[in-house]
Amino acid sequence: MEEAARRAQYLVGESHSTYRGNHLLNHAVYGYAYLRTTCMDYLKSVGTPIQHEKPGALIVGNDGMYCAIVDHEGTKFIHSDPGRRKIVISPMAMVKNYFRKGYTMKEYKCATN
């Protein structure tokens, strides 16, 4: 999972219009951004829920609209920020502000490892 977090980190600063939240996770998990996997798909069927953040864990909004990934250190999360119009890194303390309707953390096996 840490490897996926490192892949996601390469996209920091990229445009929000090019990489939405699901594109970010697709790139991190599968190695290719433009798959038909949505945030709702990640919520419903990808990975197993976990209670605490760990490096590379997926963070998926309970509404299925937004998703992100915990960075390789486990202290920040990487997400596509529509307000700033780019991929950004934010402290884990801000995760509740980004996912206002709640979120689920998930552990998964990376397809490209």
Side-chain angles (χ1 to χ4, degrees), residues 42-100:
Y42 282 104
L43 180 63
K44 289 182 176 180
S45 60
V46 177
T48 53
I50 57 175
Q51 296 300 314
H52 302 287
E53 66 269 0
K54 57 196 293 188
L58 304 179
I59 309 171
V60 186
N62 290 338
D63 59 2
M65 298 292 292
Y66 301 101
C67 45
I69 188 168
V70 178
D71 77 336
H72 68 280
E73 296 172 346
T75 59
K76 299 176 184 146
F77 69 106
I78 304 166
H79 61 101
S80 185
D81 188 324
R84 291 187 257 178
R85 309 289 305 155
K86 61 183 178 179
I87 304 288
V88 298
I89 300 177
S90 299
M92 284 304 295
M94 299 297 293
V95 77
K96 289 181 182 176
N97 294 346
Y98 185 70
F99 296 100
R100 293 175 192 231

Side-chain angles (χ1 to χ4, degrees), residues 5-56:
R6 291 181 195 281
R7 276 196 298 275
Q9 193 142 1
Y10 288 118
L11 296 180
V12 171
E14 292 290 334
S15 169
H16 170 74
S17 60
T18 304
Y19 293 100
R20 306 272 176 167
N22 62 311
H23 298 138
L24 172 67
L25 292 191
N26 291 341
H27 177 76
V29 175
Y30 300 110
Y32 184 72
Y34 300 104
L35 300 171
R36 291 185 180 219
T37 308
T38 65
C39 292
M40 184 61 79
D41 295 330
Y42 282 104
L43 180 63
K44 289 182 176 180
S45 60
V46 177
T48 53
I50 57 175
Q51 296 300 314
H52 302 287
E53 66 269 0
K54 57 196 293 188

